[in-house]
Amino acid sequence: MTDNYINVTPLNVSNEDIYKEYYQKLNFKMHVATCIIISIGLPLTLMTISALYSLVRKDHVAPIYVINLLISDLIQLCCMIVFETREYQPQAEEFFIYECGLVTSVFFMVCVSLERYLIIAHPLWYRFKRTIKISVVVSVVIWLIPPVFFITVLPRVTYDVAGIIFSIFLIIPFPLFIIFLVGTLRALSASVSVHSEEKQRIVGVLVLVLLIYTLLFLPSMILFLNINRSDKTLNYLSFMFVKMSPLADLILYVFFRKQSIGKLFTTVNCCRVANTDNNI
């Protein structure tokens, strides 16, 4: 009996050492990947924001949401720098700032997709209702929602409930992206003046938004909805996917710039006006 006990003990110690070495390697890989994301995303985000500020003039509403999206990405990147340079665990306040930036970026992704849908499906309404003042007010409200909610609600609930609430924040935009995509497809099917290549670009942008959101945030949704979060590998991977969202937003910006909003709006608006004249 004593011999069996002696044989079992080194096996347990060996297993612990194996798991410890595995998670050390995993932490190192995540550290390297995060440093790559920061080194690429931070300078490109700063350059893109400075370039977009020069485009904000009268009746240029579209860049405002994109600028706010990139600013929220910049906050996430700065928080990543703090996380990676600290030798100890980040403070709760630091995670709070990071989560606020993350949720805010998701909301502005919804705003950008909604704006694309309105340009295609309701161009006349969008033409007469869009103003910089409305866009600024919407942006301010979006920036206020996450911190106010986190300060007033999260301290009063448990960790598991907070995870479920955070996953709900991530789930809500998902059906909205699908609705915008379906509505845009219907509007484009009835449009005859928009070229087929332009239609493919419009649909491609919305599909790309949906795919990026699904691939990057779906693991976090599954993780937070699962009460048992003992799988550290899933924790690491889901957090790694979320960290890649600033780079994905830069890819979206490239697609948005390739497709000119002004030209697109002019084309669709002329089509709607022509159809109205024909009906009259």
Side-chain angles (χ1 to χ4, degrees):
M1 180 176 182
T2 304
D3 295 338
N4 293 334
Y5 177 78
I6 294 174
N7 291 332
V8 171
T9 304
L11 180 61
N12 293 334
V13 174
S14 178
N15 288 336
E16 291 178 358
D17 293 338
I18 291 174
Y19 282 116
K20 184 178 180 180
E21 182 180 1
Y22 169 75
Y23 286 118
Q24 285 178 350
K25 292 181 179 179
L26 190 60
N27 282 328
F28 177 75
K29 291 178 181 179
M30 285 194 61
H31 174 71
V32 173
T34 304
C35 291
I36 294 175
I37 292 173
I38 294 172
S39 61
I40 296 175
L42 186 59
L44 290 179
T45 302
L46 290 174
M47 292 172 58
T48 307
I49 292 175
S50 61
L52 277 175
Y53 268 120
S54 63
L55 298 177
V56 179
R57 294 187 295 269
K58 186 178 180 180
D59 290 337
H60 282 72
V61 182
I64 292 180
Y65 296 136
V66 179
I67 290 174
N68 283 277
L69 175 62
L70 294 175
I71 292 175
S72 64
D73 292 336
L74 185 62
I75 293 175
Q76 297 175 57
L77 291 170
C78 292
C79 291
M80 290 183 200
I81 296 175
V82 176
F83 295 161
E84 297 302 319
T85 54
R86 293 282 180 87
E87 296 181 356
Y88 52 86
Q89 291 292 332
Q91 300 296 323
E93 294 80 7
E94 298 169 352
F95 272 116
F96 168 77
I97 296 174
Y98 177 80
E99 291 175 355
C100 287
L102 180 63
V103 174
T104 303
S105 68
V106 172
F107 287 167
F108 280 115
M109 285 177 64
V110 175
C111 290
V112 172
S113 298
L114 174 61
E115 194 170 46
R116 307 292 289 191
Y117 164 73
L118 292 177
I119 291 174
I120 302 300
H122 306 284
L124 296 179
W125 183 90
Y126 178 81
R127 174 66 181 86
F128 293 106
K129 295 296 182 180
R130 64 164 187 164
T131 59
I132 293 181
K133 182 178 180 180
I134 294 177
S135 298
V136 171
V137 171
V138 172
S139 300
V140 171
V141 171
I142 290 176
W143 279 107
L144 290 177
I145 289 177
V148 170
F149 184 83
F150 288 156
I151 292 174
T152 57
V153 176
L154 291 189
R156 302 180 182 179
V157 297
T158 62
Y159 176 75
D160 293 333
V161 176
I164 294 175
I165 293 174
F166 188 72
S167 64
I168 293 174
F169 270 108
L170 297 179
I171 291 175
I172 290 176
F174 191 73
L176 295 178
F177 289 136
I178 297 177
I179 292 173
F180 298 152
L181 177 60
V182 174
T184 303
L185 289 174
R186 290 181 177 178
L188 287 176
S189 63
S191 177
V192 294
S193 66
V194 182
H195 299 291
S196 59
E197 294 182 358
E198 194 70 21
K199 290 181 180 181
Q200 292 176 359
R201 291 178 183 176
I202 297 168
V203 176
V205 168
L206 294 178
V207 171
L208 184 62
V209 171
L210 182 60
L211 287 178
I212 289 177
Y213 190 80
T214 303
L215 294 176
L216 297 185
F217 292 96
L218 185 60
S220 297
M221 298 178 198
I222 298 173
L223 176 66
F224 284 113
L225 289 176
N226 185 13
I227 302 300
N228 183 15
R229 305 188 186 97
S230 59
D231 191 353
K232 292 184 179 180
T233 303
L234 180 60
N235 286 327
Y236 285 135
L237 291 178
S238 62
F239 194 36
M240 195 71 249
F241 286 144
V242 171
K243 285 182 177 181
M244 295 174 63
S245 61
L247 295 181
D249 292 338
L250 289 175
I251 296 174
L252 286 177
Y253 168 74
V254 171
F255 277 88
F256 283 130
R257 291 301 299 166
K258 283 186 177 180
Q259 182 187 3
S260 174
I261 295 236
K263 293 181 180 179
L264 175 61
F265 173 77
T266 302
T267 302
V268 179
N269 193 24
C270 290
C271 174
R272 293 300 177 88
V273 171
N275 291 336
T276 304
D277 292 339
N278 290 333
N279 293 332
I280 293 175

